[in-house]
């Protein structure tokens, strides 16, 4: 099925490029993309394929994740394995639904300096993405254990450098640092043990890189299409598994009467396709 957001983005750029010549008499080409601007974006967040992602365990709670969880008979309690999504049933045979992509939006303020046909600049941006990243473990009980994370909002600072062939249209590359507020959640069908999450909401550092095209449609206004790769390191969300009503023979309790568990992949990654707009002073 064709994505309506992508169609809108391409249409916006096409309109901008067709409209640019109409403003050629009113836009001063030697001052295009020069000075301070404010603007925003609206687009779509599509997640990367989290190959091999699962859940890791620390059965003696020494801070080192990589322990196995075994039954009293020595069998792997998580033999059914893991999936890169949210569980649809208690057992692995029920499958998982994939990570949830979603819209994103934000505002920005920046400044550019035009030097001949070259442009350099910097911007600060506040944004939000509604994409959600899942990882699930299945135990032999059977039971499922699903981790969810999403980016509440982020503040980013990026540099950009580009080329404008005579003014009117700017082709650019951009990249920089980002600081995001992550929200983590946990769900399980296990009703015997107790589960205590730590650091559900926390800040995470990351970075962004990409590029785009921006076209003038008026003296002080431009619209564009932008792509960004985003990644944030979020590795301090831990769920502590305690006794609850489970017996002492429970696999989570055999080593130290508790177990810590977390996602195996600390990185939250996604791709952004955005329609942008800017108003220059």
């Amino acid at each position: 099925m064709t994505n309506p957001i992508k169609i809108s983005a391409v249409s916006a750029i096409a309109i901008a490029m067709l409209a640019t010549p109409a403003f050629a008499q009113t836009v001063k080409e030697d001052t295009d993309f020069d000075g301070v601007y404010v603007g925003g974006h609206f687009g779509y967040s599509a997640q990367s394929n989290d190959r091999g992602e699962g859940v890791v365990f620390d059965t003696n709670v020494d801070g080192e994740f990589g322990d196995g969880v075994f039954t009293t008979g020595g069998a792997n309690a998580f033999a059914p394995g893991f999936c890169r999504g949210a569980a649809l049933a208690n057992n692995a045979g029920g499958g998982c639904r994939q990570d949830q992509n979603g819209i994103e939006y934000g505002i920005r303020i920046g400044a550019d300096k035009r030097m001949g046909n070259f442009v350099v600049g910097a911007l600060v941006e506040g944004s939000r993405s509604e994409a959600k990243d899942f990882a699930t473990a299945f135990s032999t009980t059977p039971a499922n254990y699903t981790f969810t994370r999403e980016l509440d909002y982020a503040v980013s600072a990026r540099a950009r450098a580009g080329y404008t062939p005579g003014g009117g249209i700017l082709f650019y590359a951009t990249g920089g640092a980002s600081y995001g507020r992550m929200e983590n959640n946990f769900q399980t069908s296990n009703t015997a043990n107790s589960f205590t999450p730590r650091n559900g909401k926390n800040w995470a550092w990351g970075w962004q890189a990409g590029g785009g095209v921006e076209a003038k449609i008026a003296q002080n206004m431009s619209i564009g299409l932008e792509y960004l790769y985003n990644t944030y390191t979020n590795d301090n969300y831990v769920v502590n598994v305690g006794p609850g009503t489970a017996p002492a023979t429970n696999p989570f309790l055999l080593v130290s009467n508790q177990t810590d568990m977390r996602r195996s992949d600390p990185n939250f990654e996604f791709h952004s396709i955005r329609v942008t707009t800017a108003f220059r002073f």
Side-chain angles (χ1 to χ4, degrees):
M1 183 177 179
T2 305
N3 191 312
I5 295 179
K6 293 183 179 179
I7 291 177
S8 300
V10 173
S11 300
I13 294 300
I15 293 171
M17 291 180 175
L18 291 173
T20 299
F23 289 94
Q25 301 302 315
T26 60
V27 175
K28 296 180 180 180
E29 292 188 347
D30 60 345
T31 60
D32 284 357
F33 310 110
D34 190 272
V36 177
Y37 62 89
V38 295
H41 72 265
F42 180 83
Y44 190 71
S45 298
Q47 294 183 64
S48 299
N49 185 5
D50 304 321
R51 296 179 181 176
E53 184 178 22
V55 176
V56 290
F57 305 93
D58 176 13
T59 57
N60 59 0
V61 293
D62 63 353
E64 297 294 328
F65 289 81
D67 300 332
V69 180
F70 300 102
T71 67
T72 54
N76 182 0
F78 283 86
F82 312 97
C83 75
R84 305 185 308 268
L88 295 175
N90 285 352
N91 57 68
C96 290
R97 63 184 174 95
Q98 296 182 347
D99 290 340
Q100 177 182 310
N101 300 326
I103 63 171
E104 63 172 82
Y105 42 90
I107 56 175
R108 62 179 68 179
I109 181 170
D112 290 325
K113 177 62 178 178
R114 173 85 178 270
M115 297 173 290
N117 285 337
F118 294 94
V119 176
V120 295
L123 63 91
V124 175
E125 177 181 85
S127 62
R128 175 178 171 82
S129 170
E130 296 189 1
K132 294 183 179 181
D133 182 23
F134 305 109
T136 296
F138 292 98
S139 65
T140 54
T141 315
N144 63 61
Y145 308 80
T146 299
F147 288 74
T148 305
R149 63 185 168 197
E150 60 185 311
L151 184 66
D152 269 351
Y153 49 87
V155 177
S156 309
R158 298 195 304 274
R160 74 174 190 168
Y163 179 77
T164 175
I169 298 177
L170 173 67
F171 300 91
Y172 65 89
T174 183
S178 187
Y179 196 47
R181 176 75 164 176
M182 303 295 301
E183 180 175 350
N184 294 271
N185 290 287
F186 176 78
Q187 289 183 312
T188 180
S189 60
N190 178 335
T191 58
N193 295 96
S194 62
F195 297 88
T196 307
R198 300 196 299 267
N199 303 315
K201 290 188 176 183
N202 54 80
W203 289 91
W205 279 103
W207 57 272
Q208 303 170 315
V213 56
E214 187 175 342
K216 295 293 288 287
I217 60 171
Q219 178 79 31
N220 298 314
M221 182 179 179
S222 62
I223 62 174
L225 181 65
E226 183 176 75
Y227 162 79
L228 283 179
Y229 169 76
N230 312 264
T231 180
Y232 297 86
T233 300
N234 174 229
D235 59 358
N236 58 356
Y237 178 64
V238 175
V239 175
N240 177 262
V241 187
T245 59
T249 55
N250 183 277
F252 284 119
L253 310 177
L254 290 180
V255 176
S256 62
N257 203 43
Q258 61 181 315
T259 292
D260 280 345
M261 56 193 300
R262 72 179 187 191
R263 305 175 71 121
S264 63
D265 185 357
N267 299 314
F268 179 38
E269 304 173 341
F270 60 95
H271 305 271
S272 300
I273 299 293
R274 303 165 160 187
V275 176
T276 66
T277 183
F279 300 88
R280 292 184 180 267
F281 298 98

